[in-house]
Amino acid sequence: MTKPRDYIALVDVNAFYVSAERVFDPKLRNRPVVVLSNNDGCCVALSPEAKALGIPLGEPWFKLAAQAPQYGLVARSSNYELYGDMSARVMRLLNQCSAWVEVYSIDEAFVGVRGTPQQLKAWGHQVKERIWQELGLPVCVGIAPTKTLAKLANKTAKKIPVLAGVCCWEAVPVQRREALLASLPVIEVWGIAVRLTKRLYAMGIESIAQLRDADPAAMRKRFSIVVMRTVLELRGTPCIPLEEEPAEIKDQLIFSRSFSEKITTVAEMEQVLGVYAQRASARLHKHDRQAKVVTAWAMTSHYSPDQHGPSATVTLPAPTADPVLLTRAAKALLPRIHEGVRYARAGIVVTDLYKTGHQPVFDLFTDRHEERQIGPLIESVRQKINGAAIGLGRAGLKAGPQWQMRREMMSPRYTTHWDELPLVKA
């Protein structure tokens, strides 16, 4: 009799951005739908129906817009607040199903589970059904002894309809597993990119089965310990543990965006830097970090005849996450901005990061704004009301400026804004 043992499940929401849109707009179901990148540029998510039309990921929307009505193609601007909130709901539900959950990305998580293969197969179907019933999101579940095999099992669950979205790797007959590994190219393995695939092909390693059967010590010597771990994981030996805590920012934090309309004046750039610096401050507070170095930069389009890419770096007297100090430091860029030049992008980079309170600060270097906790106060107001409710200086905007990211086809933020709640008519 098979004894219960520890496994890893990968739960992944199918076509997450599109699926989140369909939860609140059932008219989108069974229709080709694409979700667009910043400024409604390219397709970053596709429904199965859109893929069936032959639309590639990354296709510019302007190439599709004219023919969209003919194919019934629907486009939506990226609704990051909606996606973030729906993701958080999925993760909260998974935490009710297991004591150990590692959020891997916005739409997938590794989950620690224990049982026999048949028990875990049933568990996978229960989780899949619960997420659908409570959140309206379709997921696939892959369960295996290692993360690498769980990723592979999840892909298998997506591609083989008879599995109904759940694949417990060790519940699949050995002959079928071997045939699958022999038929799949090595690039299908988690962490094996195109460049590494070419090097493996040169060694005669083309299938996943061939990579699994390679000598681990030789793979470490020729490539790296990461590739050796992949080989061992494919053999069922766990080498990549579940992480208890989410990844933290370590070396730097970057906040940058492209403009929907070019910035041509110093006054407009001052507004941009104020907004970006205060958002960087909010992220630092969220991760309990402070920065000692601030770099602000701007750049024109690569195709612009008057190329210009100024930058300015400021070292602060002491580490801080205070929005006033970060905004003031970012404005060191303004004397280098040329009036009339069409800037297409700007950004703030904060480096030399410290955990809050890591370094004691003498009273001489303590700013009065930091003493009053201006940054946490602003963020708490934004969380309770909305992101545009409060800001400092030119970043205190009642309505979004013209240069802000274009999202002309964005659906309502159904779950995070009272005035955008969905209405149900019965």
Side-chain angles (χ1 to χ4, degrees), residues 25 84 115 215 286 297 313 339 347 388 414:
D25 190 355
D215 178 53
K286 179 180 179 181
W297 55 269
T313 299
E339 290 277 350
Y414 299 104

Side-chain angles (χ1 to χ4, degrees), residues 131-150:
I131 293 175
W132 175 254
Q133 288 295 331
E134 296 186 22
L135 301 177
L137 294 170
V139 304
C140 283
V141 183
I143 306 168
T146 70
K147 281 186 173 181
T148 303
L149 285 175

